């Protein structure tokens, strides 16, 4: 694929890819990623489930590896993610009966993780997926149970104190597929901004089906951008899994059409708001969708940009 310019040289904003400590140690993966992308997001190893030990200590060995790889290769890192309903850890569960101690530990966790990369990691998903899938409101979680709805504002304040230069994001999914969820999510963002929360960006994960109804992506991007914050397409894959709600008739054509709708819509976002686009995998074999647990495994023309041998997929040419 020598004749195709590196993807990062053709997009007018940073192009990122999800990674792990194992992947950055894999010569094939790392050569391809470093050539094509300028930003990394840790798929798992900077999350609480990996980082926070039962005694409250932080395990950042693999985060260090990914950050070191990025710095060696002139790439940057987007921090993912500090506070998530899906992962609260034994340490916090044990503290849940003591709200003051819980809050101190909450702030300390954020300060501990972000503090280690202060001035190195320029942006963080401070809170991930706070809204119910159907958009009815905030997802219940341990954080909300102990700290109340303002667990989000408290996390943003703690993050801002930990690294005042860092850009702070809130990240969620299905903001294109479920307009009600998007409306509730944007209402939350507006309320946080009105209350003076240090919030700089929105991550719209964009895990989409190739057969998504045309137009949904465009209206979502415009809606999200209308708040004036940075907009990060944070976890893009364009799935062809047959078990998804929108079975795909012409996989490759739909996949490229959907990608083009996204790229065109994102191009219409003011340049200073385009934080970048991150693919949630590099090759087919790297994708979280490419597993037996992930429903029927992906059929040919899979959602990411390179095949198992690192050759660009037809999808990749949609960028150039
Ligand atoms: O590799 C370890 C293994 O050593 C260990 O024994 C085992 C114990 O559970 O865990 C293994 O790690 C797995 C990890 O992926 C790396 O493969 C974790 O079990 C597994 O839970 C983890 O899944 C990640 C998932 O988030 C949960 O953190 C996926 O890779 C990752 O793609 C997915 O990413 C999420 C975003 O963070 C948020 N948006 C949705 C997206 C897809 O679900």
């Amino acid at each position: 694929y020598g004749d195709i310019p590196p993807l990062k040289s053709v997009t007018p904003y940073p192009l990122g890819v999800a990674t792990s400590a194992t992947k950055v140690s894999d010569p094939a993966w790392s050569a391809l990623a470093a050539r094509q992308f300028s930003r990394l997001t840790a798929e798992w190893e900077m999350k609480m489930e990996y980082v926070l030990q039962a005694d409250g200590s932080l395990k950042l060995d693999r985060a260090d590896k990914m950050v070191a790889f990025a710095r060696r290769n002139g790439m940057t890192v987007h921090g993912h993610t500090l506070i998530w309903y899906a992962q609260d850890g034994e340490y916090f569960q044990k503290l849940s009966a003591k709200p003051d101690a819980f809050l101190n530990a909450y702030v300390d966790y954020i300060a501990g993780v972000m503090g280690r990369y202060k001035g190195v990691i320029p942006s963080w998903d401070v809170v991930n997926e706070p809204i119910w899938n159907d958009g009815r409101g905030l997802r219940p979680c341990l954080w909300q149970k102990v700290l109340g709805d303002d667990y989000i504002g408290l996390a943003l304040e703690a993050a801002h104190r930990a690294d005042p230069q860092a850009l702070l994001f809130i990240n969620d999914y299905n903001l294109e597929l479920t307009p009600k969820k998007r409306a509730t999510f944007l209402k939350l963002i507006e309320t946080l901004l009105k209350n003076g929360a240090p919030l700089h960006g929105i991550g719209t994960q964009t895990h989409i089906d190739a057969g998504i109804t045309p137009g949904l992506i465009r209206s979502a991007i415009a809606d999200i951008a209308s708040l004036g914050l940075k907009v990060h397409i944070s976890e893009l894959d364009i799935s062809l899994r047959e078990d998804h709600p929108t079975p795909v008739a012409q996989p490759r054509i739909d996949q490229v059409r959907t990608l083009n709708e996204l790229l065109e819509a994102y191009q219409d976002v003011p340049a200073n708001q385009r934080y970048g686009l991150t693919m949630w995998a590099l090759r087919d074999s790297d994708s979280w969708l490419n597993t037996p647990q992930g429903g029927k495994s992906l059929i040919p023309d899979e959602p990411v940009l390179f095949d198992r041998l690192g050759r660009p997929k037809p999808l990749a040419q949609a960028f150039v």
Side-chain angles (χ1 to χ4, degrees), residues 32-300:
L32 186 57
R35 170 177 155 80
Q36 300 292 343
F37 296 86
S38 55
R39 178 187 281 149
L40 297 176
T41 299
E43 202 169 356
W44 181 55
E45 290 146 329
M46 295 178 81
K47 291 172 180 171
M48 193 177 279
E49 185 181 54
Y50 178 83
V51 170
L52 183 61
Q53 306 308 296
D55 65 358
S57 61
L58 305 180
K59 190 170 184 321
L60 291 163
D61 56 332
R62 294 190 192 176
D64 284 353
K65 264 209 181 90
M66 289 180 276
V67 168
F69 172 82
R71 300 183 86 174
R72 272 199 312 277
N73 289 279
M75 302 168 91
T76 185
V77 174
H78 176 70
H80 176 79
T81 180
L82 295 165
I83 300 299
W84 189 17
Y85 78 90
Q87 298 183 3
D88 46 42
E90 183 192 334
Y91 181 68
F92 278 105
Q93 282 148 14
K94 278 195 291 199
L95 283 177
S96 54
K98 299 175 221 138
D100 291 351
F102 186 100
L103 176 57
N104 288 338
Y106 186 76
V107 172
D108 287 352
Y109 177 77
I110 292 169
V113 176
M114 284 186 69
R116 186 179 183 84
Y117 306 105
K118 182 173 178 180
V120 175
I121 294 184
S123 56
W124 284 88
D125 289 336
V126 176
V127 176
N128 192 42
E129 303 175 0
I131 303 295
W132 268 118
N133 267 336
D134 62 7
R136 83 181 85 140
L138 283 184
R139 280 182 197 270
C141 59
L142 183 66
W143 319 116
Q144 187 200 36
K145 185 166 148 247
V146 179
L147 300 173
D149 289 358
D150 198 31
Y151 81 90
I152 300 172
L154 289 167
L156 289 166
E157 288 297 338
H160 188 59
R161 282 197 302 277
D163 185 350
Q165 304 309 316
L167 293 177
L168 307 180
F169 284 73
I170 295 181
N171 190 49
D172 217 327
Y173 66 92
N174 279 6
L175 300 181
E176 59 290 307
L177 198 64
T178 318
K180 184 156 185 318
K181 178 173 186 179
R182 180 168 79 243
T184 306
F185 179 79
L186 295 182
K187 189 115 195 62
L188 165 69
I189 302 290
E190 286 170 340
T191 306
L192 286 162
L193 292 172
K194 210 168 63 242
N195 297 341
L199 175 58
H200 312 105
I202 290 170
T204 175
Q205 294 179 16
T206 321
H207 291 292
I208 45 184
D209 290 322
I212 187 171
T213 308
L216 285 182
I217 296 170
R218 175 172 289 284
S219 37
I221 297 281
D223 220 3
I224 291 164
S226 69
L227 270 68
L229 298 183
K230 303 273 181 201
V231 180
H232 182 199
I233 309 293
S234 55
E235 306 182 14
L236 178 63
D237 37 40
I238 305 180
S239 167
L240 297 174
R241 278 189 317 177
E242 300 84 357
D243 63 336
H244 261 213
T246 50
V248 175
Q250 305 161 288
R252 184 196 300 261
I253 294 167
D254 280 358
Q255 201 173 48
V256 178
R257 172 189 56 73
T258 298
L259 178 64
N260 283 333
E261 179 180 332
L262 173 67
L263 295 179
E264 285 159 16
Y266 198 51
Q267 204 52 30
D268 289 346
V269 172
N272 68 325
Q273 287 183 252
R274 293 198 303 253
Y275 191 66
L277 184 153
T278 297
M279 292 296 301
W280 208 241
L282 178 64
R283 302 161 305 192
D284 311 343
S285 52
D286 303 314
S287 172
W288 69 293
L289 295 172
N290 196 31
T291 65
Q293 297 84 350
K296 294 185 192 71
S297 71
L298 293 162
I299 54 179

